[in-house]
Amino acid sequence: MQNIDLICVGKLNAPYFAAGVAEYQKRLGAFCNFRIIELPEAAIADKNASDAQISKALDKEATAILSSLRKGEYLAALCVEGKQFSSEELAKLIADRANSAFVIGSSHGLADSVKKAANAKLSMGRITMPHQLARLVLTEQIYRACTINNGMKYHK
């Protein structure tokens, strides 16, 4: 059974998002070893933080992200400059790998070191959405990809 990790920076504290993620996480158990790794967002004391302060926080988060990867894991980073994937393309990406990790950064995004380490950069489109919603959407899309790969009708 393949391993799929979802690495997220920041807490999922809205109950309606948590319920949705939990439902898809439960469903994914039939297809893969799916785990969610929730990492803390680096604290930035100043609400009007400088670029240097944000960069330092992102570097701290990057260290935690990269150290949570399984050895040899295929890393897909969600970032605004990433490529938009269809559900079928995501299914193929997952099908072709034994171990995959998807990473959603903090509200400030991802450090360049994570983007450089990534095997793929994915985008959920040109819209901006809260990270908690992105986690729900990505979890559902991973579930959808698994149903596609197993010839199930959920996708249609």
Side-chain angles (χ1 to χ4, degrees):
M1 192 174 269
Q2 73 185 137
N3 297 307
I4 301 175
D5 294 336
L6 177 54
I7 303 168
C8 306
V9 179
K11 293 200 175 290
L12 185 62
N13 44 21
Y16 42 92
F17 289 135
V21 170
E23 176 61 28
Y24 288 112
Q25 185 173 15
K26 181 178 81 176
R27 292 182 189 189
L28 278 162
F31 303 106
C32 62
N33 296 314
F34 181 75
R35 69 180 179 163
I36 297 174
I37 301 165
E38 194 173 85
L39 302 171
E41 190 166 348
I44 301 175
D46 186 359
K47 292 193 189 260
N48 296 314
S50 68
D51 289 345
Q53 289 170 307
I54 293 170
S55 180
K56 184 177 178 181
L58 288 176
D59 287 343
K60 184 177 179 182
E61 293 167 1
T63 299
I65 290 166
L66 296 174
S67 66
S68 68
L69 293 172
R70 299 176 202 250
K71 185 176 175 87
E73 196 163 44
Y74 184 91
L75 177 60
L78 270 71
C79 51
V80 68
E81 66 270 25
K83 177 185 178 223
Q84 293 182 40
F85 274 58
S86 68
S87 296
E88 294 85 358
E89 290 168 327
L90 183 63
K92 180 160 178 25
L93 183 147
I94 289 171
D96 291 345
R97 281 144 192 93
N99 296 311
S100 302
F102 296 86
V103 63
I104 300 173
S106 68
S107 59
H108 293 290
L110 290 168
D112 286 341
S113 60
V114 174
K115 294 176 189 180
K116 287 177 184 167
N119 303 95
K121 292 181 214 154
L122 307 180
S123 171
M124 292 179 143
R126 294 174 46 195
I127 61 171
T128 301
M129 68 177 81
H131 286 235
Q132 293 185 57
L133 178 57
R135 188 186 307 196
L136 174 58
V137 171
L138 180 57
T139 305
E140 188 279 335
Q141 283 297 298
I142 293 169
Y143 173 73
R144 182 177 298 274
C146 289
T147 65
I148 291 169
N149 290 338
N150 284 276
M152 297 175 68
K153 294 184 185 220
Y154 175 83
H155 178 58
K156 298 293 175 192

